[in-house]
């Protein structure tokens, strides 16, 4: 270790690449979740938290931004592996399931937002875009959405609603003088009404 390097607590024995990448992405997530600051998160800080040499970040990821993106994707993949995606359900039910998932895992929404603010051009907020488009097409064919609906915009608007809400819900609750739980329940009802409004011309919108 060079004299200019900061001391690293509990430096671990060199493991496999997969093990080291997991240590680094988990460390980045812990720091992001704890501090909520993307711009101030340094490579050396992440390496110190992971207990590995900071040079391995560049060796395995190339850039700090690539590491942070990998950390968010790792967390998303862990959650998505346990998530039911409800592709066979109609539009309103499917999007309500997405809302409830966001409520349960709001930290992922916030991490994605941090990367978006960083200007990460490789960030994807629609990892299942083609599946979503296929489901929307089935909705139109089944009468669950208007035949002339701009389904890409439906996807964007509903996604923006839940991303924006779960990014700010604690602040909203504080300013409105209520609890997060109360606001979440009220917002969920409003979100469902919005969805039914988008599907209003369908005889099946309330199913």
């Amino acid at each position: 270790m060079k004299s200019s390097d900061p001391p690293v607590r509990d430096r671990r024995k060199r493991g496999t690449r997969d093990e080291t990448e997991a240590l680094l992405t988990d460390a980045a997530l812990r720091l992001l979740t704890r501090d909520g600051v993307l711009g101030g998160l340094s490579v050396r800080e992440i390496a110190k938290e992971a207990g590995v040499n900071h040079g391995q970040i560049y060796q395995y990821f190339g850039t700090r931004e690539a590491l942070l993106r990998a950390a968010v994707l790792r967390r998303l993949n862990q959650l998505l592996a346990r998530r039911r995606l409800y592709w066979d359900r109609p539009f309103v039910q499917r999007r309500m399931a997405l809302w409830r998932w966001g409520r349960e895992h709001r930290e992922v929404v916030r991490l994605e937002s941090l990367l978006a603010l960083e200007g990460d051009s490789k960030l994807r907020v629609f990892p299942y875009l083609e599946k979503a488009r296929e489901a929307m097409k089935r909705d139109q064919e089944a009468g669950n959405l208007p035949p002339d609906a701009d389904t890409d915009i439906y996807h964007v608007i509903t996604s923006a609603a839940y991303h924006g809400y779960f990014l700010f819900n604690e602040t909203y609750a504080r300013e409105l003088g209520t609890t997060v739980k109360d606001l979440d329940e009220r917002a969920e009802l409003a979100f469902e009404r919005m969805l039914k409004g988008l599907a209003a011309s369908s005889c099946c919108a309330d199913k």
Side-chain angles (χ1 to χ4, degrees):
M1 181 171 66
K2 296 180 180 179
S3 59
S4 59
D5 286 342
V8 176
R9 296 194 307 269
D10 301 325
R11 177 66 62 81
R12 296 173 175 83
K13 292 181 180 180
R14 192 179 183 89
T16 67
R17 175 168 182 153
D18 286 347
E19 291 170 342
T20 303
E21 287 183 355
L23 288 173
L24 287 166
T25 53
D26 286 346
L29 282 172
R30 283 196 302 274
L31 292 171
L32 284 171
T33 301
R34 186 191 72 194
D35 300 334
V37 178
L38 189 61
L41 188 60
S42 71
V43 165
R44 290 177 183 272
E45 187 179 8
I46 297 169
K48 183 178 179 180
E49 177 71 17
V52 303
N53 189 296
H54 76 273
Q56 290 177 280
I57 292 179
Y58 298 109
Q59 178 183 354
Y60 294 153
F61 297 97
T63 65
R64 181 186 73 112
E65 289 72 21
L67 167 59
L68 296 175
R69 183 168 57 250
V72 172
L73 289 175
R74 175 179 169 81
R75 179 62 175 149
L76 280 171
N77 287 334
Q78 288 171 343
L79 293 171
L80 290 173
R82 304 193 300 269
R83 172 183 167 191
R84 295 182 62 191
L85 296 178
Y86 306 107
W87 295 117
D88 58 334
R89 294 192 179 183
F91 172 73
V92 173
Q93 292 184 12
R94 196 169 63 250
R95 303 311 284 186
M96 286 306 299
L98 180 64
W99 173 275
R100 290 171 185 134
W101 185 88
R103 182 184 61 196
E104 184 178 353
H105 302 292
R106 64 193 69 193
E107 80 280 4
V108 176
V109 173
R110 293 172 181 177
L111 290 171
E112 288 178 325
S113 300
L114 286 172
L115 286 178
L117 289 171
E118 182 82 352
D120 188 337
S121 62
K122 295 184 179 180
L123 174 65
R124 294 186 64 198
V125 294
F126 298 144
Y128 299 106
L129 179 57
E130 291 309 313
K131 284 185 176 293
R133 283 173 167 166
E134 291 170 5
M136 292 277 202
K137 184 178 179 180
R138 289 196 303 272
D139 283 323
Q140 289 179 307
E141 292 171 349
N144 294 319
L145 284 176
D148 60 346
D150 186 338
T151 54
D152 274 354
I153 294 301
Y154 277 30
H155 194 48
V156 168
I157 292 299
T158 54
S159 175
Y162 99 86
H163 273 90
Y165 176 77
F166 290 117
L167 182 60
F168 289 104
N169 68 328
E170 291 179 1
T171 303
Y172 293 150
R174 183 174 65 250
E175 292 192 16
L176 292 172
T178 188
T179 65
V180 172
K181 181 177 184 295
D182 172 68
L183 194 67
D184 282 355
E185 291 173 353
R186 292 159 61 189
E188 184 169 318
L189 289 173
F191 185 69
E192 186 172 17
R193 288 179 180 175
M194 182 187 78
L195 295 176
K196 290 180 177 180
L198 290 172
S201 69
S202 167
C203 65
C204 304
D206 291 331
K207 289 186 177 180

